[in-house]
């Protein structure tokens, strides 16, 4: 049997997030600049290479794959890749195949995603106001996303809404969003904004809405019960006693999750990031391309990379400068 991936801190790596494209049909202000330069196509892993890469990780013990981007559903023929991954679900080696999407293409692809074995989808949506939605995503249109969510639910996909908490932007919609998710039986998670990319530092600090503050506001209306549930990631959960809803909080800037971190991230160019908050990475594209008929060098490169998984990350907002901020974009690493 192949030995599983265990890092130097005895954490088993069972979760791979894969960015399948750096392109997107939106330009969210906290994620991309308006005139992004995208990677030349030849830099990207082909769909066949993505399949080989993911299959190798599955062979090494990865049980959960999350497909992300950029916007994963704008990658040409991406459904071909999803249908390919279904064989790992069918064999039982892969326990879950999911994606994170802005929802713009869900009306088109939901049924196909379900057919490929996807059961849960994270949809990123920061506001229910059409004008604000157009502002924050620059190119996005809310009705299109809402239609996508309808289609996804009709196809049988369970939806989780991911909301980036932004001071002065969606603070006033907190309760509306909670109630909307309740009325549609969707899960909900709030995400603290992270210092990624090169979009004006100050703007981001201005927009930084601490989730502890958000929680306190929530507690003014609801009784919050802390849940012990852990997913190996940065999410923490509470239950709203009055509605029974489970609400997640992702605070990647605190160090409360590194010790149980079970995940690594693959970029669309085949770079493996062992930690979201650190620059260290391993190039897996070279071993993949150099030996098309032999996965041994790729496996060795993955194992070597995992020995370099750091204990934790270095984000720090505490001194009002974004120390430890990363130069790469979320759309490259995958959120
Ligand atoms: N395009 C897809 C989407 O928006 O869901 C997938 C990729 S996107 C990079 C993944 C997630 O990262 C989204 O939920 C997005 O809101 C989040 N994100 C992007 N930039 C962020 C930032 N600077 N801080 C916190 N979350 C961010
Ligand atoms: Fe696109 Fe997602 Fe980034 Fe928004 S957050 S620009 S939808 S990749």
């Amino acid at each position: 049997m192949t030995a599983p991936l265990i890092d130097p801190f005895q954490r088993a790596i069972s979760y791979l997030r894969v960015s399948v494209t750096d392109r997107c049909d939106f330009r969210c202000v906290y994620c991309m600049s308006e005139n992004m330069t995208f990677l030349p196509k030849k830099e990207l892993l082909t769909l066949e290479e993505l399949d080989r890469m993911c299959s190798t990780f599955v062979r090494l013990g990865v049980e959960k794959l999350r497909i992300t981007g950029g916007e994963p559903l704008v990658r040409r023929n991406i459904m071909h890749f999803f249908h390919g991954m279904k064989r790992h679900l069918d064999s039982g080696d892969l326990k879950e195949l999911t994606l994170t999407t802005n929802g713009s293409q869900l009306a088109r692809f939901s049924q196909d995603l379900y057919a490929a074995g996807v059961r849960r989808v994270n949809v990123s949506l920061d506001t229910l106001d059409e004008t604000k939605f157009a502002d924050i995503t620059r190119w996005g249109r809310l009705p299109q996303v809402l239609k996508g969510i309808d289609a996804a639910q009709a196809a049988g996909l369970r939806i989780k809404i991911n909301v980036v908490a932004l001071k002065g932007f969606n603070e006033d919609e907190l309760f509306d969003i909670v109630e909307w998710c309740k009325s549609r039986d969707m899960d909900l998670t709030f995400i603290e904004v992270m210092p990624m990319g090169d979009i004006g530092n100050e703007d981001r600090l201005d927009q930084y809405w601490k989730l502890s503050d958000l929680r306190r506001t929530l507690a003014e209306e609801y009784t919050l019960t802390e849940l012990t549930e852990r997913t190996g990631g940065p999410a923490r959960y509470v239950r709203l006693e009055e509605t029974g809803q489970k609400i997640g909080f992702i605070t990647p800037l605190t160090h409360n999750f590194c010790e149980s971190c079970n995940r690594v991230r693959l970029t669309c160019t085949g770079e493996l990031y062992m930690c979201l908050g650190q620059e260290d990475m391993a190039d897996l594209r070279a071993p993949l391309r150099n030996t098309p008929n032999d996965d041994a060098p790729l496996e060795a490169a993955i194992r070597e990379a995992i020995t370099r998984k750091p204990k934790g990350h270095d984000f720090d907002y505490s001194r009002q400068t974004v120390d430890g901020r990363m130069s790469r974009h979320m759309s490259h690493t995958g959120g």
Side-chain angles (χ1 to χ4, degrees):
M1 224 189 89
T2 323
L5 296 171
I6 309 281
D7 82 357
F9 304 97
Q10 299 308 310
R11 297 171 296 194
I13 306 307
S14 57
Y15 181 2
L16 177 67
R17 298 173 76 102
V18 185
S19 172
V20 295
T21 178
D22 61 335
R23 283 154 218 261
C24 188
D25 51 346
F26 290 4
R27 290 289 181 280
C28 302
V29 296
Y30 47 71
C31 180
M32 293 190 183
S33 58
E34 184 142 27
N35 39 14
M36 286 285 288
T37 317
F38 293 109
L39 295 160
K41 290 249 163 69
K42 65 176 192 321
E43 297 281 318
L44 299 193
L45 298 180
T46 63
L47 292 178
E48 290 67 29
E49 287 172 334
L50 278 169
D51 185 308
R52 211 180 129 204
M53 194 74 95
C54 293
S55 300
T56 304
F57 274 97
V58 170
R59 201 163 53 242
L60 296 179
V62 161
E63 295 185 333
K64 178 169 174 179
L65 270 184
R66 178 174 295 282
I67 309 308
T68 174
E71 174 46 43
L73 296 180
V74 303
R75 170 95 195 232
R76 193 126 80 95
N77 290 333
I78 193 63
M79 289 317 303
H80 180 71
F81 167 78
F82 276 99
H83 282 292
M85 287 299 104
K86 185 167 185 290
R87 69 185 186 279
H88 299 305
L89 289 170
D90 292 342
S91 73
D93 293 338
L94 189 63
K95 305 279 185 279
E96 193 173 28
L97 175 62
T98 61
L99 76 153
T100 300
T101 173
N102 64 24
S104 69
Q105 307 302 315
L106 277 177
R108 236 172 109 198
F109 290 122
S110 286
Q111 287 189 352
D112 225 356
L113 286 167
Y114 191 91
V118 174
R119 293 294 175 265
R120 298 198 303 163
V121 176
N122 287 1
V123 180
S124 307
L125 196 160
D126 304 328
T127 172
L128 295 171
D129 179 290
E130 224 176 301
T131 309
K132 279 159 77 178
F133 188 87
D135 283 348
I136 196 89
T137 63
R138 292 201 192 98
W139 295 6
R141 296 295 167 259
L142 183 62
Q144 186 183 347
V145 172
L146 296 180
K147 273 198 197 111
I149 292 173
D150 289 341
Q153 289 194 308
L157 297 170
R158 173 116 199 123
I159 305 276
K160 187 174 82 169
I161 300 292
N162 280 340
V163 177
V164 175
L166 297 163
K167 204 178 200 125
F169 177 75
N170 52 16
E171 265 179 301
D172 57 335
E173 290 187 76
L174 177 61
F175 297 115
D176 290 345
I177 292 173
V178 168
E179 279 156 31
W180 178 67
C181 288
K182 170 67 186 169
S183 70
R184 300 202 47 146
D185 190 26
M186 300 186 294
D187 297 320
L188 171 61
T189 288
F190 292 100
I191 308 176
E192 221 161 55
V193 74
M194 281 190 276
M196 308 295 281
D198 57 4
I199 319 139
N201 264 0
E202 277 146 46
D203 284 358
R204 213 173 2 250
L205 282 172
D206 280 352
Q207 291 191 320
Y208 183 49
W209 181 15
K210 270 176 91 167
L211 291 195
S212 50
D213 293 343
L214 186 154
R215 249 180 92 138
R216 212 168 299 128
T217 311
L218 211 51
E220 289 169 10
E221 282 292 312
Y222 299 101
T223 316
L224 274 49
T225 305
E226 189 92 30
L227 301 176
T228 50
E229 180 178 332
R230 297 284 181 269
T231 55
R236 291 290 173 271
Y237 299 92
V238 299
R239 191 175 48 237
L240 305 189
E241 291 304 337
E242 288 78 1
T243 65
Q245 272 167 292
K246 191 177 85 175
I247 310 261
F249 299 98
I250 299 186
T251 49
L253 305 176
T254 57
H255 287 210
N256 63 6
F257 66 94
C258 297
E259 69 281 357
S260 60
C261 182
N262 61 357
R263 59 198 59 193
V264 288
R265 292 173 161 79
L266 185 72
T267 69
C268 51
T269 57
E271 292 169 345
L272 187 73
Y273 282 90
M274 285 68 84
C275 171
L276 181 62
Q278 306 234 333
E279 293 284 11
D280 188 31
M281 58 88 174
D283 172 27
L284 300 182
R285 190 179 60 189
L288 180 95
R289 286 192 176 164
N290 292 345
T291 56
N293 299 313
D294 179 10
D295 287 339
L298 174 62
E299 277 195 32
I302 293 172
R303 287 192 187 285
E304 190 281 326
I306 298 302
T307 67
R308 286 192 270 138
K309 185 166 164 65
K311 196 168 177 194
H313 62 67
D314 292 332
F315 285 132
D316 184 7
Y317 269 117
S318 59
R319 278 167 288 136
Q320 287 297 299
T321 60
V322 193
D323 278 340
R325 72 189 283 268
M326 310 306 302
S327 56
R328 64 185 194 268
H329 287 270
M330 283 288 265
S331 52
H332 184 54
T333 331

